[in-house]
Amino acid sequence: MSSAATPAAVDTVMGAVALSERPRSLWRDAMARLHTRKLNYVYASVLAIYALVAIIAFTPLLGKSVFDAQVGAQYAPPAFTGTVEQGTANEHSTIRPSLWLGTDIAGRSVLYKLLYGTRVALTVSLLASILSVVIGTVLGLLAGYYRGWVDALITWLYTTINSIPWILLMVALAYALKDREFKMFGQEFKLVGIPSIVMALGLTSWVGLCRLMRGEVLKHRERDYVAAAKAVGAGTSRIIFRHILPNTFHLVIIDFTLGIVSFVQAEVILSFLGLGVKDQPSWGVMIDDAKLELMRNVWWQFAGATAAIFGLSICLNFLGDALRDALDPRLRGVD
Amino acid sequence: MRKVKWIFFGYLAVVGALVVGIALSFASVSARDPDTLYIVYISDIKSLDPAEISDVPSSRIAGNLFECLYNYDYYKRPYELISELATALPEISKDGLEYTIHLRKGIHFYDPDGAVWPGKTGPEVKAKDFIYAWKRVLDFHLPNPNAAIFDAVVGADEWQKYTEDTKDESKIDWDRPIAGFEATDDYTIRIKLKEPFPQLVYALAHLPSAPMSREAVDKYKKKTRQHPVGTGPYSLSYNDHLQQQRILLKRNPIYRGGPMVDPGTPVAAKDRLPKMDRIQFEFFEEDLPPWYVFREGLFDYHGIPKDAYGQAIRTGTELTPELVKQGVTLVKEPEPSIYYYGFNMQDPLVGKNKSLRQAMCMAFNRDQFIATFRNGRGMRPVGPIVPGFPTFDPNLKNPYAEFNLEAALEKMKEAVRVNGGEPIPTIRLLLPGSDTTFRQMGDFVQRNMAQIGVTLDVDYTNWANFLEQVEKKKTAQFYQLGWNTDWPDEQNILQLFWSKNISEGGLNSSNYANAEFDKLYEQAKVMSDSPERRELYKKMQAIVNEDCPWMGMFYPMDFALQHRWLKNFKLVDYVHGWMANLEIDKELRKQGLPRG
Amino acid sequence: MQRSQEAQVKLLVDVRLDGANQLSQFPSSPTLPAPATPPPLNAGPPLLQVRNLRTWFPIKRGVFQRTVGQIKAVDGVSFDVQAGRTLGLVGESGCGKTTVGRTILRLIPATTGSVTFKGDDFFAHRGEDLRHLRRQMQIIFQDPVSSLNPRMTVGNIVGEPLTVHNIAWGSDRVDRVAALLQRVGLDPSYASRYPHEFSGGQRQRIGIARALALSPDFIVCDEPVSALDVSIQSQILNLLDDLQRERKIAFLFIAHNLAVVEHFSDEVAVMYLGRIVEKASRTELYANPKHPYTVALLSAVPEPDPRPKKTRIVLSGEVPSPSKPPTGCPFHPRCPLTREAAKQANAADTVEITTAGERVRVLRKCVEEVPPLEQKQGEPGHVAACWVTR
Amino acid sequence: MLAYVIRRILMTVPIVLGILLITFVLFSYVAPDPAFTVAGRGKKPAQLRAIRKEMGLDKPVWLDSRAKAEQDGREYKGHFNSQFFDVVLWRFPESIKYHQPVGELIARKAPVSLAVQLPIFLIELGLQLILALICAFNRGRWPDLVVTFGAVLGMCVPYLSIIILGQSVLGFGAGIFPVAGWDTGLKSVHFMALPILVGVAAGLGGGVRFYRTVMLDEVYTDYVRTARAKGVSRNNMMLTHVLRNVFIPVVTQTVTVLPYLLLGSLLLERMFQIPGLGGLMVEALFNNDRPILLAMTYGISIAYCVMLMLTDIAYTLVDPRVRLS
């Protein structure tokens, strides 16, 4: 016990313990630790750029009319400049960002498609990550806190799901959910594109977090601060959400961050299997399309989409690592 | 303590050995065999049992293993019937109801495994073998799609009914006669029809009509589809298509040397078929890897993958300079097929609004479509009758097959009027795939239709789901489909508009019903080829063109790339067993691809 | 070893046989304030009445996880706590004393038994009622690290009871928290700090402030100082003592060390393997311990005076598992008294047992019958459970 | 011990039931009707009905009995309880496309997947351990940084991109490896080289990081410090101590990859034309081959459950202190 070693003199009534200038919550400590590595700011800014592009893609600035417009010849290779107003007297060459990454089969700008794809990638992975994290957290909390048959049921559920190889389950679910119509609350719903992918990814990926949460909650519910909260008459929901959840929340954050990476990658697999997004460009679809284009040595769409995924994944990975180091006390002191 | 370290090092040694083993395996890689033809297959095959075959990939392979009474000449265009197992074209009675066919003598079944007949050479092919095979085609229990070819035969329905009623397949009495099929002697078959069916002779050149040995089928039962026993120029040597990998065909040693040759007749060595000792088919599912393999010169020709039309070819029909340098040549042939977008005529919106259909047909820019997706490898369709057919007229005037935006907009006004003045609601286009090409095509049509104010909701699905919606539930509103003709006779395509073919799973998938068309169709159906019949066909096409149950996309053009060492390669339809004509210039192949 | 054991036993027997008051033998810690004059026991109805409390945990085994046995963590404990007084509860770790404290507060469900608080059956309440009653009973924990939520500020920790019971909000709450912090000797500005910024003693003060927030009448002090440095212990004990006098709070003071309890309790109960084996007023118990286990515990009290005055009694063997408590008197395998008594008793009244790999003779009665908690010689209310002592 | 083994076996039962339940619901209620795939075009309604009947699709009921099925004149097939018994008897339905019992298909294709995945796994693990050791030995110095950074880079490239790059650059471009394909028996070994290389490259990163963390955890434990204080040579100590303690995570990891050794990789097998289960799965997906999808989902999952169970039991037999509950 470290407190036992505290010099007695320090523990006076006046509390002369050397306290820092500002109160240090564990979150603040974590932020401070993140702050010490300046590279983290690089990752964060790149992520911010991705997010910004995704947000712009929701506006008409990068809407369907932009990525869908024909900007050049079929499969024009990347070029810095291009001719505008062809065939008119005003024909001249100028810098054309739309041609920087070449064009696709329909003469559309690969760069614009790529930028728009950020929206799809981030939407899919954020929503799927939220879905998976919410399910995992809630079930983990319930199982760990209530124990008994609730725990038995949830443990059974996740052991079962865990026994089905993830890729099989995800593919089966994506296949089954694709374009399905169902009735709920007297209304017809149709799962097209993003919702069905989000569900397939989210519903199959919560097990890891749930198991982790359950273990942590089991540990925390035996801690004295929970007993103290009970003793002062705090209700179950207060104990779970004010006490246990904040103490396990770092797991959620780490899982959320790393979840996004795996979902961006999973979207490529689903696109390959024809279960991906349609009607709008996504990185997975672009890589899938590239399989044919490479027969003609059209590499730009492939390279662009791969690079986009690479950039996003690497920032999230490094930031996720940094977050894990900063938040997970178990790993503290290792790095 | 120490043990752990040794386990680790031991394990590393195993890994090292593994890597070395794999590296060593490269030493023993054998080159391509000079007497084997190597063909890449990108689609999978379903069966090698002729009765079950309805897909082109399967019939291309099975066509080398079986022969029919008739075949088409490999080299001649338009297609010309030749007699293969028959001695001559059938003798047809005056009323067109009775066919008499004589068989070549001395042709034997060949059993490459020697499992049915230890000596491998089977019994002589006789009339009963044909009748047995035809009964199988009509067997309810076989998942066969070819029963329709014998619809006109007397007793065919009864036989089908009988097989359906016999719940236990093994209880079927194969000796039970069908009135329409009669073996007057071992070498003569008489076929009786309920009504004239002039296409019967084509049906007898169709692979499902190939003779089958009952002994072989009894021996292999359900596995018949993997153990073909036929009379063709090749025999199956190694079949691993279940592993999706390769099928090896070997020369049939008792083959008589050519389709038109009688057994025992000597054939000059240079004319003798098959030319190559072996054919190896290698199966791939993805397009990119086999393309690379072909580019390495390991396949002798490469039918350009159906989803990658035009990828290999720069524009139109011109090869990329790289390919030209390597001595690759392009082979092309128009296909007797059509691709179209079908309207569901039972749909309350598109089915009841002819003006809407006509407007949509005129708003569809086919030339641009063909240029974009087919690289010009297709023709703008003028009607359902496809190129190569006697009544095909490429200069036919069909206003609804031409892109005309003004006229389309004009028609749209009418369409809105028909719709009660309401704007046209969103129309759902169903596409049987979701890969790149389908997505891009969907986009294209969507944009075309948007020009006349029709909003399309494009729905991509898999083939099974597609069929379910189009043919079973009939819920599809607007969908993409194609038709490959079975024989060069217009009836084969016009049957898709006959109202009697509207049924669950029936051929008339657009559910088109037109009394006048039906009358003409039923009239022409029983006629033999004649100027009058051609006239009827033209009239029927005009009716369909006016009604627009289809929005034609294109008549496809078949393309393939071949290496310079491959000889006698032609793209064909209908013909079976044509691969026996292919030959390799061994010297050239040995030299490999020109570097540069 | 053998010889010293004998010497110890001799001492014990002397204690028993003479019955002499040897108070002077026991040390008193000079750092602690002199104990207040003991108030008369049994004055008025008790604030808290615990009767026959049992907390058993099932042991599950086998294929179907059947309950094959019970861990009798608390097995029939009864005592009273008077308002404003302190009952010290002492025993080795694992004897169930912490479980008693938590069971009384219903942090652990009781198996049987009753707890009457202010004449009201505490176990009968549910839901909102129970929540309301909890205001009057609080707990201070042993571990100052785990008992404070690391993600909450001190202000929130201390103020939580006020929020939960809807007592104070906003600035009122801030003021109350400040007052509480001040009362336990912490600067009110610490309210915005987090627990990990404080030392052990300070954290324990935070815990006390939290317990005080609802102005309870009864607090379970679950070894509140055992994790602390000795010098800090006295500060905390002084604080508790002050608070008791000031607010008339009753304490159930749990400790494994008789020294701590001595200066803090009005009455002391000694627990062994889930049972109370001896209970008496503070002065009586220290002056005249009856149960051999109490005697052994007393001998383990550290002496500030370096000159040895008494031999330390080392009990042989391990504390038996509460899942398989010994038959009869649970203390008999380790009891030096019964061995001594067996030497003097008839052979027929003794029995040989194996304990800690050693064969010893003990009284048959000790092995076969559970001794009742009965009045012993001395002050009225001095009860002990032993067949040998009088 | 026996009780533990029995309990562990019994614990598997509800999980197997759960797997069956999930797959049954997924394929009976959500997935599309496969009868059309069987039928192909131009089928008469009567024939379609017959096919649906044969596949047991005409009446999706939960519980069925042979007697009831006979009374209704339909086949006792495709219902939850009959499917359950199919699993117990390891009896699989027939594939729509291949007309073979799925069990036979799995038995034929699983070894192929294993033949590719096992070398991938072994080589990958070896490299991962070596690289992680390099990191642990040089913690914080440039070899550690380079390897860790490289590992993350490798993890961030989409698998499909790695495959395509491998095929076009190493296969077609450089001509070192065959692009894709397969052969019979040992002749296919050289076809495995590129898939193995690609598979190892794609999977390397995650493991390196994982084992590095595990090893670093070990390096700072007390006993390693004690051993070093005793004067055990640094390298020797690191190797022995670190390896011994990496042992359990390695075994645990191995257990989790077991099903993937059998299943193979969907993308890898499809792109390299490896006739394994992964390719079969993709094929079934494209063909709506319900019996394969269904049987593979539950077949592999149940096989995994059993493997997991056996591993757990083996653990306890080897080291009774380890009781995984």
Side-chain angles (χ1 to χ4, degrees), chain B residues 198-242:
Chain B
Q199 290 81 19
L200 183 68
V201 63
Y202 300 118
L204 296 177
H206 201 45
L207 198 61
S209 72
M212 297 291 286
S213 154
R214 189 168 162 189
E215 279 169 82
V217 175
D218 284 348
K219 161 88 186 153
Y220 289 118
K221 297 199 175 73
K222 284 231 160 188
K223 303 220 160 170
T224 302
R225 56 170 73 89
Q226 293 148 43
H227 294 277
V229 172
T231 61
Y234 286 101
S235 64
L236 187 69
S237 160
Y238 174 75
N239 175 4
D240 204 4
H241 91 270
L242 278 176

Side-chain angles (χ1 to χ4, degrees), chain D residues 225-241:
Chain D
R225 244 175 260 156
T226 317
R228 285 197 65 176
K230 277 193 311 195
V232 180
S233 107
R234 181 172 181 274
N235 290 358
N236 211 354
M237 179 273 305
M238 289 278 272
L239 203 60
T240 325
H241 280 279

Side-chain angles (χ1 to χ4, degrees), chain A residues 156 159-160 163-166 168 171 173 175 180 265 272-273 287 294 306 310 313-314 317-318 321 334-335, chain D residues 14-15 18-19 26 30 32 139 149 153 155-156 158 161 164 209 212 217 260 270 281 285-286 288 301 304:
Chain A
W156 168 77
T159 319
T160 302
S163 302
I164 307 176
W166 178 70
L168 278 185
V171 164
L173 199 63
Y175 162 77
R180 288 281 120 176
Q265 307 255 357
F272 174 80
L273 297 175
I287 293 182
L294 284 169
T306 304
F310 181 74
S313 307
I314 205 149
N317 253 321
F318 278 128
D321 273 7
V334 171
D335 275 275
Chain D
I15 293 169
I19 291 167
L26 209 58
V30 226
R139 176 169 172 264
F149 196 71
L153 293 196
M155 281 166 67
C156 293
S161 299
I164 292 177
R209 286 208 315 172
R212 175 182 174 273
D217 265 345
Y260 293 94
R270 174 94 181 164
M281 179 82 185
L285 205 62
F286 284 141
N288 196 12
S301 307
Y304 177 45

Side-chain angles (χ1 to χ4, degrees), chain A residues 163-165 168-169 171-173 175-176, chain D residues 16-32 34 55-57 62 77-84 86-87 90-96 101-103 105-106 263 277 280-285 287-303:
Chain A
S163 302
I164 307 176
L168 278 185
L169 186 64
V171 164
L173 199 63
Y175 162 77
Chain D
V16 169
L17 276 173
I19 291 167
L20 284 175
L21 197 70
I22 287 175
T23 46
F24 185 79
V25 169
L26 209 58
F27 286 97
S28 300
Y29 288 92
V30 226
M55 296 181 71
L57 298 170
W62 279 88
K77 248 182 187 178
H79 307 284
F80 185 70
N81 59 332
S82 59
Q83 188 181 316
F84 175 74
D86 282 352
V87 170
W90 213 245
R91 198 169 58 185
F92 286 99
E94 203 171 80
S95 150
I96 294 173
V102 179
L105 280 174
I106 291 180
L263 173 61
L277 286 181
L280 181 71
M281 179 82 185
V282 180
E283 194 60 26
L285 205 62
N287 288 310
N288 196 12
D289 200 333
R290 185 184 124 138
I292 292 186
L293 288 174
L294 188 70
M296 269 185 64
T297 310
Y298 67 63
I300 290 186
S301 307
I302 288 165

Side-chain angles (χ1 to χ4, degrees), chain C residues 12 26 89-97 255-258 269-279 285 289-301 313-320 329-332 334-338 384-386 389:
Chain C
L12 257 173
F26 295 99
L89 191 60
V90 186
E92 285 167 294
S93 53
C95 74
K97 56 192 192 300
H256 61 266
N257 184 341
L258 272 170
V270 178
M271 270 187 86
Y272 185 76
L273 271 188
R275 293 194 188 146
I276 290 182
V277 291
E278 184 166 9
K279 192 176 69 168
L285 186 96
K290 293 288 180 193
H291 198 279
Y293 180 64
T294 313
V295 175
L297 279 182
L298 276 174
S299 80
V301 170
I313 301 169
V314 180
L315 294 173
S316 66
E318 294 281 310
V319 183
C329 173
F331 191 57
H332 82 257
R334 304 169 77 195
C335 183
L337 205 55
T338 185
C386 182
T389 47

Side-chain angles (χ1 to χ4, degrees), chain B residues 280-322:
Chain B
Q280 178 159 306
F281 299 92
E282 294 184 18
F283 291 82
F284 283 84
E285 283 145 352
E286 285 290 326
D287 295 323
L288 186 59
W291 171 248
Y292 285 148
V293 179
F294 169 74
R295 294 284 307 279
E296 289 177 334
L298 297 177
F299 293 126
D300 298 314
Y301 79 88
H302 187 274
I304 300 161
K306 67 179 190 317
D307 291 336
Y309 290 120
Q311 301 281 1
I313 298 160
R314 206 158 58 164
T315 44
T317 54
E318 191 192 332
L319 284 176
T320 57
E322 225 180 326

